[in-house]
Amino acid sequence: MPSLFALDHAAYLQPRCSLCWRTGPAAALDTPADSLYAAAREHLTHAHPGAPDDAVEVEPGRAVIGWDGIEPPHVWHNRVFPPTW
């Protein structure tokens, strides 16, 4: 059975730190990966000095119940579930 969070079903991308499980800001699927990883490196530099870059994973996400479709899913997600970085 395919994953419900497979990239082909994703609505946005969101970085998550595997050291503290805090999330970064969600971004549109067409956002360059470099900008997501730059935010991840900044988080690691401040929160976990010396941690390797691969401590942050960029995960696909889907809009959940409550998203009305008026605004892009990543904008809605950042408003309703503010990033914790």
Side-chain angles (χ1 to χ4, degrees):
M1 184 167 142
S3 168
L4 293 176
F5 293 99
L7 188 55
D8 59 339
H9 292 118
Y12 56 85
L13 298 173
Q14 184 172 33
R16 178 182 303 276
C17 178
S18 63
L19 300 174
C20 64
W21 293 104
R22 296 172 71 188
T23 57
L29 290 175
D30 60 355
T31 300
D34 292 343
S35 64
L36 293 171
Y37 286 111
R41 280 190 292 280
E42 184 176 335
H43 166 72
L44 291 174
T45 298
H46 296 305
H48 312 288
D53 287 348
D54 65 355
V56 172
E57 300 172 350
V58 175
E59 303 175 332
R62 296 178 69 183
V64 294
I65 295 172
W67 178 59
D68 57 12
I70 293 173
E71 58 192 339
H74 66 285
V75 173
W76 173 84
H77 190 275
N78 287 332
R79 182 175 54 78
V80 175
F81 305 103
T84 55
W85 289 0

